[in-house]
Structures are given as C-alpha cells and as structure tokens.
Amino acid sequence: MKIRLVNAGIFTPVDDIELTLAPPAEGFYWIDADVEDLALLQPVFNLHDLAVEDCLSDEEQRPKIEIYESHYFIVVNSIRFDDEEIFLRALNVFLGRHYIITVTKQKINELRTLKPILWEQEVSSPDRFLYLLVDLVVDNYFAVGDRIEVKIEKLEEDILMHTKKSHLSEIIGLRGEILWLKKMLGPQKEVVNTLNKKDLRLIDDQLQKYFSDIYENAVKISETFETYRDLMGNLREAYQSSIANRANEIMRVFTAITTIFMPLTVITGIYGMNFDNIPEIHTRYGYYGVIGVMVTLGCGMLYVFRKKEWL
Amino acid sequence: MKIRLVNAGIFTPVDDIELTLAPPAEGFYWIDADVEDLALLQPVFNLHDLAVEDCLSDEEQRPKIEIYESHYFIVVNSIRFDDEEIFLRALNVFLGRHYIITVTKQKINELRTLKPILWEQEVSSPDRFLYLLVDLVVDNYFAVGDRIEVKIEKLEEDILMHTKKSHLSEIIGLRGEILWLKKMLGPQKEVVNTLNKKDLRLIDDQLQKYFSDIYENAVKISETFETYRDLMGNLREAYQSSIANRANEIMRVFTAITTIFMPLTVITGIYGMNFDNIPEIHTRYGYYGVIGVMVTLGCGMLYVFRKKEWL
Amino acid sequence: MKIRLVNAGIFTPVDDIELTLAPPAEGFYWIDADVEDLALLQPVFNLHDLAVEDCLSDEEQRPKIEIYESHYFIVVNSIRFDDEEIFLRALNVFLGRHYIITVTKQKINELRTLKPILWEQEVSSPDRFLYLLVDLVVDNYFAVGDRIEVKIEKLEEDILMHTKKSHLSEIIGLRGEILWLKKMLGPQKEVVNTLNKKDLRLIDDQLQKYFSDIYENAVKISETFETYRDLMGNLREAYQSSIANRANEIMRVFTAITTIFMPLTVITGIYGMNFDNIPEIHTRYGYYGVIGVMVTLGCGMLYVFRKKEWL
Amino acid sequence: MKIRLVNAGIFTPVDDIELTLAPPAEGFYWIDADVEDLALLQPVFNLHDLAVEDCLSDEEQRPKIEIYESHYFIVVNSIRFDDEEIFLRALNVFLGRHYIITVTKQKINELRTLKPILWEQEVSSPDRFLYLLVDLVVDNYFAVGDRIEVKIEKLEEDILMHTKKSHLSEIIGLRGEILWLKKMLGPQKEVVNTLNKKDLRLIDDQLQKYFSDIYENAVKISETFETYRDLMGNLREAYQSSIANRANEIMRVFTAITTIFMPLTVITGIYGMNFDNIPEIHTRYGYYGVIGVMVTLGCGMLYVFRKKEWL
Amino acid sequence: MKIRLVNAGIFTPVDDIELTLAPPAEGFYWIDADVEDLALLQPVFNLHDLAVEDCLSDEEQRPKIEIYESHYFIVVNSIRFDDEEIFLRALNVFLGRHYIITVTKQKINELRTLKPILWEQEVSSPDRFLYLLVDLVVDNYFAVGDRIEVKIEKLEEDILMHTKKSHLSEIIGLRGEILWLKKMLGPQKEVVNTLNKKDLRLIDDQLQKYFSDIYENAVKISETFETYRDLMGNLREAYQSSIANRANEIMRVFTAITTIFMPLTVITGIYGMNFDNIPEIHTRYGYYGVIGVMVTLGCGMLYVFRKKEWL
C-alpha cells in the first residue's frame, strides 16, 4: 500500500494512514492499495461492507458505481491485449471528498501510465483523478479494438488468398471475442453515463462534460464493435463462398476425369459388340490401333480442356 | 386484496376500503387487487364499465391507456422468460388522484420488485408509483432481449460448427419470437408515449421527462429487436450456405467414387473387345494381372485424392 | 347529398342549399356529396372548373392540393384492404372559409369513422374537419402496412419451410404491391407537407403543427415501406438459396444412383473380358454368385449412404 | 437573340440592345442568346473573357459558378430523358444587377417551361429568375431519377421471371448511367450550395433560403442515386443467383439422363459376361425380354423422376 | 531554404535569417526549409528537440500536433496519386506567433499550389497560412478518393464482364489500399480536430470555424472510405459468384459430354450381350448400321442441347 498526498502535480509520500483522515490543506490523498490492505482501510474510511466484499470476491466483477453516504464505490474493467489474448482486470475505486483509494489484485497498466499525467496536468482533486483514470481505461478499449481490426483484416486476406477449414474456427473465435468485448463494455458505458448525467455530490459540475466526452468515446467504441460484428458476417460469407468454390474446383477435376474416359468406354464397347461382320476386328494390328486411338483421344481431350483453362 | 396507505416509503395496511374514498392527509392508497375484487372496487371508485370488462376478459390484452373522468385505465404487458419460454401477463392499472389500483390475474414479478424501491425512494404520489412500475415493466424487455441475443449467438455458433436440418426450424422459431415481441412492444411504446407527451391531468409535469426516459428505452429495445431480425436473416443465410456446402461435400464423395471406377471400366472394356489379335488375352495370368492393375489403379487414385485433400 | 351544419359536435341537417351561402353564426357546413351533385354545387360555391373536371374524371387521381381564390381543392387517396386486395379510392375535398365539401364516387370508410370523432371532439371549423379526415386517411396506410408485413412474414416462413416455384411469383407480386403503395404515398406526403408548411389562409396557424404530426406519420410509413422493400430482397435471396439447395438434393440422388451402379458396371466388365483363363467363368454357379455379389454390393452402398445420411 | 424587359409578369420585347445598358425603371432585362450572339453581347456587358470562352468551348462543361466584378457566370447542366437515353445540355447564365443572359447551344426545355412561371409569379428581379431556372433544372433530375427507378424495377422483374444473359449487360449499362448521373449532379450541388451559403452581392438575402431548398432537393436526389446503386448490387446478386439456378436445372437434366442409362449399362454388362452357365442367354426370346426390361426400367425411372418433380 | 516576408499577398524575399527573429511590422515570415536547414533554424527559433528529431527521422511519420512554449509542431501527410500508386509525404510545420516554418524532405505539391492562393487571399498571418495548407492537404484526399472510386468501378465492370482469377488479387490489393488510407486519415483528422476544438493560443478564434470545415471534410472522406470498404465486399461477392457460375458452365460441358456418350454405351452394351438369338448380329451391315445409329444419336443430342441453349 502506497499513500501519497497529491497536490498540483507533486506527490508527497505519506507514512501514517491516520493523517489521511483529515482533508489536507491542499490536494488529496491517493491510496494505491492491494486487496489485503482493505482490512486496514475499511475502518479508517468507513468503507461500505458490500463494496469491500466485492473487492475481495474472486468472481469476475461487472463494472458498476455505488453511491454511499461518504464515498462512492466504482468498479471498471481495465483491458489488455497480450500475446494475442485479451485480459480484463477489475479496478476498484473508492472516491471520497479528499481521498481516492484504488484497489487492484494485479498490476494495472493504467495506474502506471497515470502518474506522469497527474504530474503534467497538476491535478488537485480526487474526482479529476478519477476522470483521468477512467479516460485511460476507456481509451485502452480503442487500442484493443484496433488490434481486433488488424486481426479481422489479416483473417479476411488469408481467407481470400487460400481458404482453409481452420479459418472457420478462427472466425468463430474472433466473433466470440468481439461479442464478449461488446458485452463487457456495456456496463462500463453505464458507469460513465452515471458519472456524466447524474447529479453527483462528489463530482465537480465542471468535470461532468469531461465524463460526457468519455461516454461519447465509449459509444464510439461500442459502434465500432457493432461494425466488427458485421465484418465477421462478411467474413463468414467469404469463407463459405470460398469453400464452395474450392469444392467446385475439385468436383470439376473429378468430372473431367469421368468425361475423358467416357468416349473411351464407348470405343471399347463398339469392339466388344458381337456382330459377325466387324472387319477391323480381324486385322492384325487393329487392337493396337484402337488402343492408340484411345490414348490419342484421351490425351487430346486433356489437352483441349487444359488449353481452354477448364482444368 | 391488499390495501395500503403508502407515504414516504412507509406502508400502512388499511382494513376498511371506505377509508380510501377520501384522499389521505399524506401519501396515497395502493390497492393490490385480484380480478375478483373488481366487483367490490368498481362502485367505490366509480371505475369505468369498459375498463372493468377489459380486466375480466380472458383474451390477450393489448397495452393501452384510456382517459376517464376521475381516473385513467392503463394496461401494460409484463414479460417473463421462464425455461426458455416467454410469457406475457397483463397488468391493469387504475390511476386516480389519491389512489392506484393494480389488477392482475397471476402474480406479477414487477409488483414484488417494486416494494423495496417504493420504500427506498420514499414515493408519495400514485403517478410516481406508476412511473416506477412502467419503468420496471419496460426494463424487463431489455432482459428478455438479452436472453434472445444469447440464444441467437448460440444458434449461430451451432450452425457454423455443425449444421443440422433442425436448425432451420430453430431459426424460424426464434424469428417468430422476435417478431412477436416486436409487435407486443409496439403498443406498449405508444402507452408510454402518451404518458410522456400528452398533457395529462393526473400526471405531474415533473414526471413527464421521466416517462420520456422510459420511452427512449422502449425505442432502444425496439431497435434492438430490429437488429435481431437482421441477425436472423444472416443466420438463415449462414444455414443455407452451410447446408449447400455440406451437400457439395457429399456430392464430391459420390463423384469421386464414379471417377475412380471410370478408368477401371475402360480397362475391362479393352479386354472385352473381340479383336482376333490381343496377345495378353491368351497369357496364363493375364486375367490376374489385369485385376491387379485395376486394384492398384483404384487404390492409387484414392490415395492421390486423399493426399490432395480432395476427399 | 347530405348537408349538415356542424357545430361543437352537433350535426344539424340543412335542407336548403341556399342557406349555406352565408357563413353560419357558429360552426360550419359539411356537404357530403356524390359526383352527380357537383352540377348543383359548382355555381353555388363558385368551384373552380378544373377541380370539378378532376372530380368527374374516370382516371386514377393523383393526390394534390390546389389553391383557388375562395377555396382549396384537395385530393387524397383512401386506402382499403379487402380480401387480400388493396383498393384506392379518391376522396375530393373542397375547403372553404365556412364550408367543407367532400366528393366521393364510392362509399369511403373514413367519412363514416369520422362522424363520432367530430362529435366527441366538438369540431367547429372546416380546417379541423380536414385535419381529422386526412389523419384518418394516412392512419389507414399504417394498417395496410401491417397487413403487408404479416403477408411478408407468412411468405418468408413458407419459403423457408417448403419452397415452391410459385413463391417466386408471390414475391414479385408482393414486391410490386409495396412499390405501388410507396409510389401512391409519395404525392400524399407532399399534400400533407403543403398543409403543414405553406402559409395557407384557410388553415388556422394552430392546426399546422397537427398537420406536421400527420406528415411525420406519412414519413414513417414511407420508411416502413422502404424496409419492406429490403425484406423482399431478403426473401428473394432466401427463395433462390432454397431452390438451389433443393436442386442440390435432387442432384445428389441422381449422382448417388450413378455412383451405386458404377462398381457394378466394372464387375460385369470384368467377367465380360475375353481372357482365356478366367476360372470363375467355368464354375457352375459363378453367374449366380456374381449377380449375388452385385446385389449385395449395391444394397450395401445404399445402406451405407443412408446411414451416413447422404441420401 | 431575344431581348425582353421582364417586369411583374409582363414581357416587353426590346429591340435595341443599347437600351439594356442602363437599369430599367422597374424589372430587368432577360437576354435569351445563342452562342453566336456572344460576340455582340460581350462588349456591351463587359462579360469576362474566360466565361465567354467557356460558353464557346465544344467540350462537356462542368457545372460551376464564377464571381466577376460586375456579373456572375453560372453553368448548370439541364438533363433530359429521350427515347430511353439521357442527354445533358449546358445552360450558361450571366447574372448582372439588372439583367440576366442565358446562353445555350440547343433548345433547353427549362427555358420554355419557365416563361409561364415568370408570368404567374410576377418575377421582377434577375436573381429570382435564376432561382426559378435552377429549381427547374434540379427538379428535372428527380424526373430522370424516377425514370431510372422504373427501369430498375422492370429489369428486376425481368430477371426474376426469366433471366437472360443479356440482362448482365443491361445491369452494367444501367449501373453506369446511375454512376454517371451521380457524378454529374455532384458539382451542380456545389453550385447551388455556393448560391445558398456564400454571401453573394447580386443575390438577395431573402432568396438564399430558397436556394437552400434547392440544395436539399439536390442532396435528396443524390441519396436516391446512392440507393439505386445499392439496388443495382441487389440486381447483380439476383442475376447471378438466377443464372446459377438455371445452370443447376440444366445440369439436373444431364445428370438425370446419365442416371437413367446407368442401370441399363449394368444390365447389358450382365449379359455380356462370359460365364458358361447363364441360362437366360440360350432362351429364344431372352434378348427381346432384356430389351423389354431395359425399356421398361428406363421409362419407369423417367416416370418416377417426373412424378417427384425432379425433372 | 527560402525565407519570405508574406504580407497581404506580397512576398518579399528575406536574405538574413536574423531579421526573422523579431516580428515584422506587418505580415509574417514563411521559411520553406529542407531537412538540412533545421540545424541552422533550431537555435534561431528555439525549436523543440523532439520535434526536430521527428523531422530528421527516416521512419514513416504519424500526423500529430505538439504544443510547445513558443511554437506548435504539426505533422500532416500530403497524399499524391502517381502512375496508379499512392504516395504519402510528411509535411512538418512549425507555427510561431510571427513565422511559419515548413520542413519537407521531398517537393510537396501543396506548397506550390499554395502560393497563388496566398497572393489572391492576401493572407497576413501564419495561422491562416496553416489553415490554407491543411485545407489543401485534406482536399487532396478527396481527389485520391475519387481515383479509387474510378478504380473500384472499373474493376467491378471488369469482374462482371469477364471474371479472371487475377481479379481476386486486384480486389485484395485495392481493399488494402483503402484500409491503409482510412488508417492514415485517422490521426490527420485528430490533428484537425485539435486545431478546431482546443483553445490554442497561436490560432485566431475566428479561424477555428474554418478548421471545423476542414474537419467536416475529413469526416466526409473517412465515411467515403467506409463506403468503399463496403463496395469491396460487394466486389468480393460478385467475384466469387462469377467464379462459381463460370465453374458451373465448365461443369455443364463436362456433364453434357458424359450425358451424350451414356446412351451410346448402352447401345454397344446391348450388342455385346451374349444371347444366342440376336438376329441383328448376323446381318451383313448390322455393325455399320449400329455405328450409324450411334453417330446420329450423339449428334442429335448435341443438336438438341445446343438448340435448347443448354450448351
């Protein structure tokens, strides 16, 4: 657990948690806590039991905002794209009048990225800290969206160039990821909308329009995911068409073989007839001649088909 | 029939219906009635005959709002999703100046859910009660919509993974459900719109914008259902393409068999010809040799087709 | 011809047309005329020659509004859906300062429906009468639209369940109806828009926003028809896909038959070869044995194909 | 060249061009000139060299507006649909403070249509003349759009009823026309937008909103053409599907023939086998019997296929 | 490096860079520099190290705007379409209070095009110079978009007329170009949006709405590219359908050949049967007769298929 007094871009480490009970002369306290620290923090800040339970729970947490007497409890999901896999990490925030407590189970990138921004923008209030944090969290969805777009485009090109059966499961997998992200983003959007629209005591009125910007971004991402879903439909279509066309080509080869041998069958049939008077039959090299004709005819047909690019 | 005096979150049971004739000092009366209670209630509150008839009718009721002298009669359809099936239950409401009467045939979840909300939000007027009730009813459509989305996605994945003929009837069934819900929601939307737009005497002006929020939600749900309908079109396409591709694969096997046997036919034809001079015919093991060649050729073709992944 | 003095919901029959020349103390005159009555009415109200000609014409009338010195001439098309067929009936209206003349060739439902509404809403001016009439006319398009939607959905289900060739002509027919309705509605919309937007002397300013509501409805219907057109495209696609898949299935049966007989051909070919040394040939029951093998093989293939659900 | 003094709907022919140098007491001069008259007009009105060159040029002119010191030079393309073909005709306009010069190479319908309108609306200023002229020109695009829609619908019906190979070139031709019109309309829209938005000295402020109406119309037409483009995509799809289905039907006939003859081949094969003991062979009418069986079998299969509507 | 004092459309060459240190009496300095000149310019104008590094870097530069104490650093990508290929060229701009420095590696068309415009519009401030420059840069994307549209339409026509396998790679290539352009335009849009929305000290408030116009254009282009992407999807579909139909036609020929030879096989089979009593066999010209029948039958079938346009 790290406690810092943040004031106009300056971070002063605070040793004693008791100090944070009273509002500082200027700035606010930022307590960057692990889940374990909650036992210590709860009595000090009078954190709501349900909220603390949520933080401790091992289940996947849905983004939400809860309004308590002295503080708000906010959960957002930080997103990360590592080695072609997407991870969600819950970020729990307790927002008070003069403090903000961030509780995380694993390291969350956004908190690291936030520090220089806090310094640059000389942030002096916990609600503005919250705004910057949520902004970063939502922005990361954009980045993940871009990665997914790249994946879609690569898959599309792959499918068009040389369709493989395995592409189908790739399509289904990617489609699942997109739907999952879309669903994850939904409640996140609602959290931001609450921060934006509702008249919240702990959030400065001036800040509301900033949250409205984030909300717009979240809506934009949501629409992008909707577009991706459509693109996946196109991909599915391209895959199925492509598979059908490939199947057609194989069929063509099969059919061509049959077609080439058909006239040969007729020829053998002709000389298999039992007519008394078939003069060719009695010639010395008739058999070889017929075999020769058959080979020539077969090769000739093959040649013609090739030349016409039918094969 | 339960009669309660609701005032700022406190529910006081009322024994004598005569008491409810006069407006209470504060709050309003909520009468949670069965269909049977109507006989008793009608003379007391002077309920309109047509409205009472509607409540008693056994037919499916269309959502509507009717404006009478001393009260409004509102019908909305509560929706519920049980064991993969959707149920609609009519919820009849008589809204007066100082009372609200809810008449239902079966238990309706929304009324149960409403009680703690009434308590929390310290509701003191019947129009606000109505707003909360309608809000809950419409919100449930969202939940049903989500369930349908889950069904669509599962079906889509199923179809892509291993298409079955039975999927077609699932598509048609799901499509029917969506169209039915869309149609059910239509008049509901109109009811909310009337509460939102029209200048109604019994509804506080302040409340109107809340009803406008519900209306927006109803429109959103409606659009969602429109999207689902499109998705069902995609599903139909995916199914048909998939069926076509599977049919192609079977055709390919059939054609391959024909193709493999075709050259063998020609070989048998050759040795069936009646030429005088076919030297192989007179050799001792010619027959066995030819059979051997035919088997080899057949297996060879099979091997090649397999290797090229044509089969 | 029925002449009535309409005033605040009271209809007073008027015997003498001369009375209608002067504006009544209160209310307005409604003259519900046949085409034949025009000869009498024209000189009284000084109706414009062109307008009267239009009423008398036997051709299909396009909705329009014409502004004359003392009166407006408005044509709208009333729509009706009878026995699965759509009928349009021209409704000609002459709107004056203190009178409204409705001229029709056949009975028009909207006029009948209008009477109780006039009574209920205590209409006292001809422009308001016009508004209510046009509102009814446009509303009926909604109803027809709903019927068409039902038809589309039934056709779609039919096509998906068991496609028939006759469905194609149904698609083309329905598509034609939709396009025709869309086209009919177009000028109607323009008429309403003129009543809504233009600064018309005989229409009260207060009423304009009501006409704007009708216009919105007309636009909504127009968009619905646009959607139906898209749905017809989907239907066409579903039909063609379905036909293709059914064709595929028949092909499969044909191909399967060929495939089953192919190996049998080879077997007969083998024993048709003229090798000196084919021991089986000289056995007593060889022939029956081979026939037995062929039957077994044929049935075996059939059984396998059936079991694999290829047939 | 015809010169007229236009004033409140009255056209006074003017003989001497010198008169037009000075602004008239009321109204404005309209000079309806051929290209040849420009030599005479240029020095009188001090027309800009580049503009005159543009009028004289034989190339296809792009719609544009050019602002010169004393006058504006405007080019719009009048559209006409004759014998199923679309023609564009450049209409050059010089707009001055008290005169308007229209320069055309061929007769342009819009100018003829304009005269009665000028008279009716008692136009007294050249900018209003311009507005009416541009309005007519843009309106004609609507008419051409309608004609194209009719063509599309006819083609769609044709394709669905009996697809022909020639439909493909019709699709490509129609698609080309639509794209060409869309491109022609683009700069026209820009001209109208300039007249609408820019603060032009020679155009009355009151008129601007009228030009904005025209602009809206042009945008609407543009969107209609966009829709047509989509419809052409649908048509292409319908055509290709239809062609595929027809091809399938032919294939089916071919395959059916093969399928019918296949068992016959096996039968002939059976009696072509060289077994010593095939009793039927030695019967007197065995041959005729087999032929009979074969004919019966073939016709039987044909009958069954027909009955099942497979053929 | 060319240094000019720009004032109300007049360009005065400046020899000594020292002069540019102080703001001129009127107008501003425009320094048109190569990358090499940066070494000289950096100390004079106190350019930020990071910005200078960016200019010198050989990598592809992303459009961006950076706000420094005394100047802004802006990078935009100029686009050019040469010989069917698209080139991007980074254009670095340093915007100060009284100067603008443009740094480029290669000649950039927009700078050349800008000069007469600067003269015409009598530009007197560096921010307006920036506006005109960015406007030109963004406008060029329109031109490139038009070229791509032409390419798409040509490709579509090509595909519909005579599909070739090479079209697939053309589709993939064009699709890649469109996606790449869409991606390039993205950050450009953000740069313009920053210039438009943010309260920038060095940009006149009046100018902001002009930047908003550019932003709208950029959004429009972006949407156009989105449309193109959809069109590419259509093209892919047309290509795949077309390929499938062509494959079908080849299959038809193959199948037809098989179908024509099938009955012939049966005929030869018939006379290959070993019945004792086949009278035709012993006739003198039976063999020739059968051959004749076979040829006639084959040609007849071919003739019929041709006539029915099945081949």
Side-chain angles (χ1 to χ4, degrees), chain D residues 168 171-184 225-226 228-230 232-233 236, chain E residues 81 84 142-162 167 170-171 174-175 177-178 224 227-236 238:
Chain D
L168 183 59
I171 290 174
I172 293 173
L174 203 48
R175 186 185 136 275
E177 260 175 22
I178 292 165
L179 292 175
W180 180 68
L181 277 174
K182 216 179 114 237
K183 230 166 258 168
M184 286 334 297
F225 286 165
E226 203 68 59
Y228 292 167
R229 188 188 197 161
D230 287 358
M232 293 317 292
R236 194 257 312 142
Chain E
F81 200 95
E84 304 296 299
F142 266 119
V144 169
D146 284 352
R147 296 270 197 115
I148 283 186
E149 190 162 3
V150 169
K151 266 179 148 184
I152 292 175
E153 279 156 21
K154 222 197 124 304
L155 186 53
E156 193 179 350
E157 210 175 302
D158 260 35
I159 286 175
L160 287 178
M161 302 286 266
H162 20 69
H167 285 148
E170 278 185 57
I171 290 173
L174 203 48
R175 187 185 137 275
E177 260 175 21
I178 291 165
T224 313
T227 313
Y228 291 166
R229 189 186 196 163
D230 287 357
L231 286 179
M232 294 316 291
N234 278 339
L235 236 62
R236 194 258 312 142

